[in-house]
Amino acid sequence: AVYGAEQAVHIGKEVTFESTVIDIQWVGRDKQTLLLHTRRGMVHRSLDHGEEWSQVIPKLEDQAAPPSSAIPASIAKESDSPTRIGRLLVSKARRNMVLAQAVTGKAAGFVSEDAGDSWRRIALEDRIQSWSWHEKRAEWAL
């Protein structure tokens, strides 16, 4: 609780992550979901304003895992490494659209169209170096 105001305000329980939090984003149409990114490249998701958290990386690896024959040669040399995310980018045009830019693992990155509930692998030959969502068209990116 926070004191000093006219009444106490509940700010939730203390939560500890595996490393320093470097980014946190409200996502989804109603902005009820949180995606949190840590320095070690992990991503966590909360559906209840940060009270409870689940790890996203296992879901990325399960839902978006490519067959071994589909892993580009440039990424294959790192494919034994666990998936780690370098950046999360949320579309301003549609807050459900999220890019998770991979820096290690079997994919260049992952896209979610439902605020991180499910993910699909981005099939590129190399890692993503730059990404920008279009301001008005949610499915467009540079």
Side-chain angles (χ1 to χ4, degrees):
V2 176
Y3 296 97
E6 290 182 25
Q7 60 185 6
V9 179
H10 176 72
I11 57 172
K13 65 181 182 179
E14 182 176 339
V15 180
T16 304
F17 297 99
E18 77 287 338
S19 64
T20 306
V21 174
I22 58 174
D23 190 20
I24 189 164
Q25 299 273 339
W26 288 102
V27 296
R29 281 187 279 268
D30 55 5
K31 295 186 182 176
Q32 297 295 307
T33 303
L34 285 163
L35 288 178
L36 180 140
H37 180 217
T38 69
R39 186 165 308 285
R40 288 193 181 155
M42 300 299 285
V43 178
H44 303 269
R45 184 172 185 251
S46 174
L47 300 173
D48 58 7
H49 304 281
E51 292 289 325
E52 300 294 327
W53 294 89
S54 61
Q55 288 191 6
V56 171
I57 299 293
K59 190 175 265 195
L60 292 178
E61 291 175 336
D62 289 345
Q63 290 182 345
S68 58
S69 61
I71 301 171
S74 60
I75 292 176
K77 63 185 175 204
E78 303 169 353
S79 66
D80 288 337
S81 300
T83 299
R84 293 295 178 255
I85 301 303
R87 207 163 69 155
L88 286 176
L89 293 165
V90 180
S91 169
K92 291 178 184 172
R94 186 181 305 151
R95 304 239 8 124
N96 281 344
M97 300 282 288
V98 181
L99 168 82
Q101 181 181 350
V103 292
T104 61
K106 294 180 168 84
F110 305 88
V111 170
S112 174
E113 297 180 28
D114 55 11
D117 188 37
S118 63
W119 297 86
R120 63 185 159 86
R121 183 178 64 91
I122 297 174
L124 294 173
E125 290 296 316
D126 291 303
R127 300 266 175 223
I128 297 169
Q129 300 301 314
S130 176
W131 185 279
S132 178
W133 290 106
H134 191 278
E135 291 277 332
K136 297 195 181 351
R137 301 203 182 216
E139 296 82 17
W140 291 13
L142 299 172

